[in-house]
Amino acid sequence: MIKASKKIYLDYASTTPTDPKVLGAMLPYFSNKFGNTVSFHKRGADAMEAVENAREVVARFINAKPSEIIFTSSATESNNLALKGIAWANAFKGKHIIISSIEHDCVLNAAGWLKTQGFEITELPVDKKGFVLLKDLKNSIRKDTILVSIIHGNNEIGTIQDIRAIGKICRKNNIYFHTDAAQSFGKIPIDVIKDYIDLLTASSHKIYGPLGAALLYKRSGVPITPLLHGGGHEQNLRSSTVNLPAVIGFAKAVEICSKNKMETEKLTKLRDKLIRGIIKKIPDTKLNGDPKQRLQNNVNITFSFVEGESLLLELNMAGIYVSTGSACSSNSLSPSHVLMALGKNPEDAHGSIRFSLGRPTKESDIDYVLLVLPQIVKRLRKLSPFRKNNRV
Amino acid sequence: MIKASKKIYLDYASTTPTDPKVLGAMLPYFSNKFGNTVSFHKRGADAMEAVENAREVVARFINAKPSEIIFTSSATESNNLALKGIAWANAFKGKHIIISSIEHDCVLNAAGWLKTQGFEITELPVDKKGFVLLKDLKNSIRKDTILVSIIHGNNEIGTIQDIRAIGKICRKNNIYFHTDAAQSFGKIPIDVIKDYIDLLTASSHKIYGPLGAALLYKRSGVPITPLLHGGGHEQNLRSSTVNLPAVIGFAKAVEICSKNKMETEKLTKLRDKLIRGIIKKIPDTKLNGDPKQRLQNNVNITFSFVEGESLLLELNMAGIYVSTGSACSSNSLSPSHVLMALGKNPEDAHGSIRFSLGRPTKESDIDYVLLVLPQIVKRLRKLSPFRKNNRV
């Protein structure tokens, strides 16, 4: 067993630390500048002004109007609001919804619940790289289709869908298009107009902003039913006292992303170094997802003849923090639905690990992983019931 | 017009500043100790441990088991989860729900939406002090009643219901009892066992904890359907990456409340001084709610022949920050449904102001209000179209 000499967090797709500049921007709003945006006095008005400034920042970032941004508490909430909100508000038009088979659990399970409420869900298959095929989408559209929800950058395998082409098809067919951009927002440029997006989910804590803030972009005129009824905040679409410090932090995190053009280049380089290194140094490994059309920080590798959980435990002991599948489903014993959708067998799906790089990741971190990982895999394969005869 | 010489915030029922000790407890979890509770590595395990410790603190505070606490993002979310969650999970048993006519907007509007989904809602009237009558509750119970939801301490008029008596009736009739304790939690002792509570809503930002954390207590075995489907957090009842810093802050705020036994005494004294002072110094004023069975920090007064909004604006100019009705509905032009339920006419409902005191409130703040308020009311009444002939 390799003992940790370093601590290397490579699970930034799961959550990120809050940027000190973000925290600095938030701090005054906990005390000196605290307030409820709907209070009818100076403190309330100041809070409202701060929230509206934040709304403008995040709206501009995706070429939306401020009035099209609904602040929520999380990407899970935004995705639930998009799916259920569209379903409830448009059921009179039809009850058919299309998603992909590699959605995040929150889209998948929200859709699953809608099934119990009389909606019909079509799950589009993906190819071996994780792409939805446009012809499949076109073929699945029906007269009663009200919504297409397809993830932008996949959280597990990093594959980036051509959302512009998908959006165009939806717009042409008068069907609302939602994309879960929790992993891509802040990493890949998004233009809700040029990309024909009707609804989009983005999250703060994936981009070095605080937990507790996320958004649902909703194009003007698209009708949705709220998930949270109450005092009428967020244009009556998401009642709840607005989480002032979190929203301020979210906007600051977006501002930092928008100025940080070098990050993509740096992370892409480190990502590719890690991929190449693993494939070269460790036999019977395979990159999952597309090598090019992938999130700048995502590395997902199948290590054949290894149990992913064991690999994860050993890496943990070595101070390397990674995930199998998405963080959210990593406590479940069933193989990742995303990897299964790529056509993997359950053993290979179980033997897959996601490394997700982040802003603080250094080249020396990658070097350390490439030093430690091959030894761990080699040892585990010796113990593995899955091992190929003499190969490993 | 009186210019502000001081800034006196008396809107603590709307939101509170985060206690510096609370913020101090939260800070490490933004950066050094950040993590996703469901991540399968040390950082995830540490985050999980911290959340479970916090869960224990808040559970103990109301005599619940930790496993009965669901962390949510806000009281609005908790209330929506309670009402819709019980409705969806128990519709097969019946579709009748009982609420009071003085619920917070989020209970009222969640119930209103359930009406559009085929549920029947009975709104219990209240007496002139704002109390639900037990005989009304008993009479409204039907064979198909699945839930009674009655607010504990009313957010506008401060009236505290006898939830133990209400809970007892519900338990006897095998009906789930939910109480919105957003305003009372941390101020009035609550024992979910002795009070026969099945579901209870409590919020962090009303007790000097951060925004973004709240809870729904759900008694073991009570079935609810989640509002947020996804990765399976919070025992599959509220998916979403747990807001680690906010939950830590919430628990710290609860801890401070539990040690701060003197606060009730201090606030009750200041509250009663303000009530007595207003009634004595300003003619044609009336206290709304019960003088004794009321939240320690709530003062709600009807100023006859005055428009509440004007009074609020003048107080704002004088540096005194208060609300008409609840903060959440203060941007609406319709008279408060709570005050109307007490039997007020629309003019008097419009002429009512809520002063809510808080931990930082000093006696000199009350003295200042009692100095400034009579002059403002006098002047406004001179201009008022509602004024009685020569009386004012």
Side-chain angles (χ1 to χ4, degrees), chain B residues 33-100:
Chain B
K33 296 186 173 186
F34 82 97
N36 189 325
T37 56
V38 292
S39 288
F40 196 69
H41 49 62
K42 190 173 182 308
R43 220 167 232 297
D46 289 350
M48 178 68 97
E49 196 187 333
V51 166
E52 293 314 312
N53 287 341
R55 200 186 304 279
E56 231 179 278
V57 169
V58 299
R60 200 183 310 127
F61 190 60
I62 52 172
N63 198 22
K65 289 179 268 183
S67 61
E68 295 174 321
I69 302 294
I70 306 166
F71 284 122
T72 69
S73 70
S74 67
T76 292
E77 188 190 333
S78 292
N79 282 334
N80 273 265
L81 176 54
L83 267 83
K84 297 174 188 174
I86 287 287
W88 287 322
N90 297 279
F92 71 97
K93 288 200 287 185
K95 294 191 137 193
H96 180 233
I97 293 171
I98 298 169
I99 64 172
S100 84

Side-chain angles (χ1 to χ4, degrees), chain A residues 11 14 18 30 36 38-43 74 80 84 109 113 227 229-231 240 312 316 322 327-328 330, chain B residues 9 11 14 18 30 36 38-42 74 80 84 109 113 227 229-231 240 312 316 322 327-328 330:
Chain A
D11 201 13
S14 168
T18 303
F30 284 100
N36 190 326
V38 293
S39 289
F40 197 69
H41 48 62
K42 192 175 180 307
R43 221 168 232 299
S74 68
N80 273 266
K84 297 174 187 173
N109 294 339
W113 181 73
L227 210 52
H229 289 89
S240 216
L312 211 128
N316 182 45
V322 298
C328 301
S330 61
Chain B
Y9 182 82
D11 201 13
S14 167
T18 302
F30 283 101
N36 189 325
V38 292
S39 288
F40 196 69
H41 49 62
K42 190 173 182 308
S74 67
N80 273 265
K84 297 174 188 174
N109 294 339
W113 181 73
L227 210 53
H229 290 89
S240 217
L312 211 127
N316 182 46
V322 298
C328 299
S330 61

Side-chain angles (χ1 to χ4, degrees), chain A residues 7 9 11-12 14-19 23 26-27 29-32 34-43 48 73-77 80-81 84 88 104-107 109-110 113 117 205-206 210-213 225-233 236 238-245 309 312-313 316 320-324 327-331, chain B residues 7 9 11-12 14-19 23 26-27 29-32 34-43 48 73-77 80-81 84 88 104-107 109-110 113 117 205-206 210-213 225-233 236 238-245 309 312-313 316 320-324 327-331:
Chain A
K7 302 274 179 235
Y9 183 81
D11 201 13
Y12 291 96
S14 168
T15 191
T16 63
T18 303
D19 188 302
L23 187 57
M26 292 168 67
L27 283 179
Y29 293 91
F30 284 100
S31 46
N32 293 340
F34 82 98
N36 190 326
T37 56
V38 293
S39 289
F40 197 69
H41 48 62
K42 192 175 180 307
R43 221 168 232 299
M48 178 67 96
S73 70
S74 68
T76 292
E77 187 190 334
N80 273 266
L81 176 56
K84 297 174 187 173
W88 287 323
H104 186 275
D105 274 345
C106 56
V107 167
N109 294 339
W113 181 73
Q117 305 293 303
H205 82 104
K206 306 289 191 191
L211 282 152
T225 298
L227 210 52
L228 303 187
H229 289 89
H233 313 72
N236 223 352
R238 202 269 175 183
S239 291
S240 216
T241 305
V242 177
N243 190 338
L244 182 58
E309 306 282 282
L312 211 128
L313 279 171
N316 182 45
I320 298 169
Y321 303 150
V322 298
S323 276
T324 56
C328 301
S329 54
S330 61
N331 281 330
Chain B
K7 301 276 177 233
Y9 182 82
D11 201 13
Y12 291 96
S14 167
T15 191
T16 62
T18 302
D19 187 303
L23 187 57
M26 293 168 68
L27 284 178
Y29 293 91
F30 283 101
S31 46
N32 293 341
F34 82 97
N36 189 325
T37 56
V38 292
S39 288
F40 196 69
H41 49 62
K42 190 173 182 308
R43 220 167 232 297
M48 178 68 97
S73 70
S74 67
T76 292
E77 188 190 333
N80 273 265
L81 176 54
K84 297 174 188 174
W88 287 322
H104 185 275
D105 273 345
C106 56
V107 167
N109 294 339
W113 181 73
Q117 307 292 302
H205 82 103
K206 306 289 192 193
L211 281 153
T225 298
L227 210 53
L228 302 188
H229 290 89
H233 313 72
N236 225 351
R238 202 269 176 181
S239 291
S240 217
T241 304
V242 178
N243 190 341
L244 181 57
E309 306 281 283
L312 211 127
L313 279 171
N316 182 46
I320 299 169
Y321 302 149
V322 298
S323 277
T324 56
C328 299
S329 54
S330 61
N331 280 328

Side-chain angles (χ1 to χ4, degrees), chain A residues 1 30 48 83 112 116 122-123 146 163 167 182-183 193 218 224 253 265 270 300 312-313 385:
Chain A
M1 193 175 290
F30 284 100
M48 178 67 96
L83 267 83
T116 70
T122 296
E123 258 187 44
I146 52 172
I163 49 168
Q183 294 289 346
I193 295 176
K218 185 187 77 60
I224 61 167
E265 205 176 313
L270 291 179
N300 188 308
L312 211 128
L313 279 171

